Amino acid sequence: MSVFGPPLTVATALLVYFGWARSDEQARELGLEESVLGMSTRDYVLRSIDTLFVPLLVVGGVGIAWLLAHEQISAAIDHGRDLPRWRKGFRWLRFSWFALPALGLIAGLVWPRWLELIVPLAMAVGILITSYASVMCRRIDALTLADGEGGRLARWHWPLMKLLVGALVALTIFWELSMFAGVVGRGLAHQIVAGLDDRTGVVVYSKQDIQLGGPGVTKYRITEPSSAYGFRYDGLRLLQRTGDKFYLLPVGWRTAADGVIALPDDGSVRVEFSTAGSSAGDLSR
């Protein structure tokens, strides 16, 4: 259990962070502070999984391919096949920490829209390749040198290297997740605006005039004596429900200046949902 504990903790922390970063960027695009939504850890994790599903599959596939390749490389080295060529190749790969970020920067200048995603990913991959190449060079040197002492370094060298590599990779992964979350959050916010007519319709009934308004919102005064409510508000769409509140958008919402409506889910108003639009009514889209 202790072996799987730390990786599970790190994975959960990454999911929570990505969910928060995505929700923060998306809320900001809609003119909200993410903190007012009152999301829980569970909300953040659920909002991460659907977006990260494909990237995690890709990472898992690349990891399996690397393990298979490493098995073949190790077998070739252990049998002494083409050791000079392997050594030369790994020595060149030790410069990946610099070469890949430089290439990523050039690619980002060619495709500016992808710059914020390419650079941190290139840094993370470059650091990992450099670390792997250094380990394999040391392994080859230990096999080829007669006394086996040429690859020996101070006892503190490799623990320190592992610590630094782990810290740098963690930082670049958080950086990449932050940038990716921003891209996803902004994209989802734009989808909400473009597909507002297709979202779940909301009708609000209130005993008193609660002054709901915005582009496309219509207020009706209910005059029937038998009615328990005095006002009805149409032209609203459900954004999401979190923290015991409904967050609504006017059907004609286009910019943050149009406002986002927050209603407490405490029975003070009656809320009806229509099926005319999409039933997917929260930020987890």
Side-chain angles (χ1 to χ4, degrees):
M1 181 65 69
S2 61
V3 175
F4 295 100
L8 181 61
T9 302
V10 172
T12 302
L14 290 175
L15 288 175
V16 172
Y17 174 76
F18 180 83
W20 170 83
R22 197 202 81 168
S23 299
D24 180 65
E25 190 66 32
Q26 185 175 352
R28 190 177 304 169
E29 285 289 308
L30 297 174
L32 285 171
E33 284 290 336
E34 189 277 334
S35 58
V36 306
L37 299 177
M39 293 187 185
S40 65
T41 301
R42 175 177 174 271
D43 293 327
Y44 293 139
V45 172
L46 291 177
R47 281 160 174 75
S48 297
I49 293 175
D50 63 338
T51 307
L52 291 176
F53 186 72
V54 173
L56 289 177
L57 283 178
V58 173
V59 171
V62 171
I64 293 174
W66 172 77
L67 290 174
L68 294 175
H70 173 69
E71 183 179 355
Q72 297 299 318
I73 293 171
S74 297
I77 291 174
D78 290 341
H79 288 84
R81 295 197 296 267
D82 296 326
L83 291 184
R85 186 176 299 176
W86 283 115
R87 182 191 294 111
K88 183 178 180 180
F90 283 126
R91 284 181 174 175
W92 278 107
L93 286 176
R94 289 190 299 183
F95 293 98
S96 297
W97 66 271
F98 173 79
L100 283 184
L103 292 175
L105 182 60
I106 294 173
L109 295 177
V110 176
W111 299 287
R113 292 180 56 186
W114 300 100
L115 176 63
E116 58 184 349
L117 296 179
I118 293 175
V119 172
L121 181 61
M123 290 185 66
V125 175
I127 292 170
L128 288 173
I129 292 178
T130 296
S131 176
Y132 178 72
S134 298
V135 171
M136 298 307 290
C137 279
R138 183 168 180 258
R139 181 173 176 177
I140 293 172
D141 289 342
L143 290 173
T144 55
L145 294 175
D147 56 5
E149 296 293 329
R152 180 171 296 178
L153 299 172
R155 295 180 60 183
W156 52 266
H157 180 271
W158 288 107
L160 179 60
M161 181 177 177
K162 291 178 182 179
L163 177 63
L164 292 176
V165 169
L168 289 174
V169 170
L171 287 174
T172 52
I173 287 177
F174 270 100
W175 184 11
E176 175 71 15
L177 285 179
S178 180
M179 296 297 100
F180 185 53
V183 172
V184 172
R186 291 190 295 271
L188 291 175
H190 296 159
Q191 287 181 19
I192 289 175
V193 177
L196 198 56
D197 290 337
D198 297 326
R199 298 184 73 82
T200 303
V202 179
V203 177
V204 177
Y205 294 87
S206 175
K207 295 180 181 180
Q208 300 176 341
D209 186 1
I210 55 177
Q211 303 294 322
L212 296 186
V217 177
T218 306
K219 178 177 69 174
Y220 298 96
R221 187 177 183 90
I222 301 174
T223 58
E224 289 83 352
S226 60
S227 175
Y229 299 95
F231 295 88
R232 167 180 167 171
Y233 304 88
D234 292 346
L236 296 166
R237 294 293 183 267
L238 180 63
L239 176 62
Q240 72 175 54
R241 180 194 178 279
T242 52
D244 295 327
K245 287 184 180 180
F246 295 107
Y247 292 89
L248 312 175
L249 293 176
V251 70
W253 193 97
R254 288 298 177 266
T255 66
D258 294 330
V260 178
I261 300 169
L263 288 180
D265 185 15
D266 58 3
S268 60
V269 295
R270 175 182 167 189
V271 180
E272 289 185 355
F273 304 100
S274 72
T275 57
S278 171
S279 60
D282 59 44
L283 291 178
S284 62
R285 284 188 57 193

